Amino acid sequence: MDTREMAQIPLAQAAAEVEAYLAEWLAGRALPENLRAAIRYAVLGGGKRVRPLLVRLSCEAVGGSRSQALPAAAAMELVHTFSLVHDDLPAMDDDDLRRGRPTLHRQTSEAMAILAGDAMLALAFELLANRVPSPGLAGSLCAELAVATDDMIAGQVYDTLPDFPESTPPLVRLQTIHRHKTGALIRCACRLGALSAGASDGRLHCITAYGEAIGLMFQVVDDLLDVTQTSEHLGKTARKDAEQGKLTYPAVLGVDASRREVERLHDEACRALESLGSDATPLRELSAWLAKRTR
Ligand code: IPE
Ligand code: IPE
Ligand code: MG
Ligand code: MG
Ligand code: MG
């Protein structure tokens, strides 16, 4: 992430903190060493760490502390990384490049990538159950993350094996895919942060509306980057969506209208935070950065 673009948020430090936490958590699990190495390769090898940052900033926006956000931040990155490893498999998007390196199934084997993804998903819930201090809160966070993961998987089905009624307009299909496959985990990251801080219902509602807006925006930007950037810059294969006949924002609306949609969703995200005052400034700044990101 380019730190010059987000002066108020210590991005590198936030990423390093969650990476150290994840490394320590993985070191303490009883796992076959080749599986541990595969998980470490996928989870600790790069990535922008947007979801852990959303957990932390949402937690702080409602008065919580950095340390309160850490278990949920780490669990979110494990589930996100599992989704990427399986998204890249030959039966899915069949990608060779991820986070600037060979995808896990290219680096190891297809069987190992499937199993490492499965393990990351289970490890995320094990981490929440063991590291969130209050059992009641741990249960709520696990339930939230489980539902968001179901929604992400539903989104991957809509994206990969679509079965919409004939009459469903393309834009409705597109929003359904994007809100599920990408929006659900981003919304969840925001909610887990706020819940970790014990947010009131009113504040949780604001954070949720913010998460829904940036969740959709994130995938619209991802679609735009697929058509406007190079594989080298992205660290993943560009021009993949058209090649695979994916339903994307640029394909349906065109590049300019997709960019306007990004701006509209950024405005919607900022409006959702109005009543949270200056504690939510870093979340506004992150939304602005996500709208402008180039990788
Ligand atoms: C990529 O997510 C997959 C989508 C949901 C669009 P990111 O762009 O957050 O990927 P990393 O974590 O930085 O590699
Ligand atoms: C990814 O959508 C969504 C999930 C991984 C759940 P994409 O297939 O567009 O993501 P990239 O472009 O491969 O990162
Ligand atoms: Mg995909
Ligand atoms: Mg993909
Ligand atoms: Mg994509």
Side-chain angles (χ1 to χ4, degrees):
M1 213 181 255
D2 187 344
T3 47
R4 288 164 304 176
E5 292 180 74
M6 284 182 64
Q8 294 199 35
I9 305 170
L11 294 165
Q13 179 251 337
E17 194 170 51
V18 77
E19 282 158 21
Y21 189 89
L22 277 164
E24 180 262 325
W25 169 252
L26 293 172
R29 312 300 353 113
L31 299 167
E33 284 314 317
N34 55 354
L35 176 62
R36 191 194 317 281
I39 295 170
R40 283 181 54 88
Y41 178 88
V43 180
L44 299 174
K48 296 181 289 295
R49 313 296 185 207
V50 167
R51 292 149 197 81
L53 189 57
L54 281 167
V55 177
R56 171 174 162 179
L57 298 183
S58 298
C59 182
E60 291 175 340
V62 299
S65 68
R66 248 165 63 199
S67 60
Q68 278 176 308
L70 264 175
M76 283 301 323
E77 191 64 15
L78 282 167
V79 174
H80 167 60
T81 308
F82 137 70
S83 81
L84 297 180
V85 167
H86 282 194
D87 182 74
D88 290 334
L89 286 169
M92 299 282 290
D93 289 353
D94 192 13
D95 251 303
D96 297 337
L97 188 66
R98 173 65 67 183
R99 293 177 165 175
R101 301 190 305 174
T103 45
L104 184 58
H105 66 274
R106 291 276 173 224
Q107 180 69 17
T108 58
S109 66
E110 213 175 314
M112 182 56 89
I114 291 168
L115 294 167
D118 293 342
M120 284 185 261
L121 181 58
L123 284 162
F125 289 95
E126 189 186 348
L127 189 160
L128 285 178
N130 282 286
R131 291 286 174 91
V132 174
S134 134
L137 178 61
S140 305
L141 300 186
C142 283
E144 288 272 339
L145 184 56
V147 171
T149 306
D150 295 345
D151 285 346
M152 179 276 289
I153 292 166
Q156 290 288 66
V157 172
Y158 298 140
D159 178 273
T160 312
L161 306 161
D163 189 22
F164 293 106
E166 265 315 305
S167 58
T168 315
L171 202 55
V172 173
R173 295 178 192 222
L174 199 48
Q175 288 200 350
T176 306
I177 296 168
H178 286 24
R179 285 193 192 281
H180 284 82
K181 78 170 182 178
T182 298
L185 287 184
I186 288 184
R187 174 184 187 271
C188 181
C190 299
R191 282 179 62 87
L192 295 197
L195 288 167
S196 298
S200 65
D201 287 351
R203 289 175 151 202
L204 181 61
H205 180 81
C206 298
I207 294 285
T208 303
Y210 167 85
E212 285 173 0
I214 63 159
L216 178 56
M217 182 183 84
F218 195 88
Q219 187 62 43
V220 181
V221 173
D222 186 78
D223 290 353
L224 278 164
L225 298 180
D226 183 84
V227 298
T228 56
Q229 299 291 337
T230 62
S231 302
E232 201 178 28
H233 183 77
L234 291 175
K236 61 184 185 181
T237 318
R239 312 289 177 271
K240 195 80 194 178
D241 294 335
E243 183 192 305
Q244 295 189 315
K246 298 278 179 167
L247 197 58
T248 66
Y249 268 75
V252 172
L253 295 182
V255 167
D256 292 343
S258 301
R259 291 206 167 111
R260 286 195 293 278
E261 182 63 2
V262 169
E263 281 312 308
R264 190 189 70 74
L265 288 165
H266 168 57
D267 291 345
E268 189 177 310
C270 291
R271 269 200 312 281
L273 299 175
E274 256 159 28
S275 67
L276 296 182
S278 62
D279 286 348
T281 299
L283 284 176
R284 293 183 191 98
E285 204 182 332
L286 180 57
S287 175
W289 184 83
L290 292 174
K292 284 187 316 201
R293 71 191 172 99
T294 66
R295 51 166 65 99

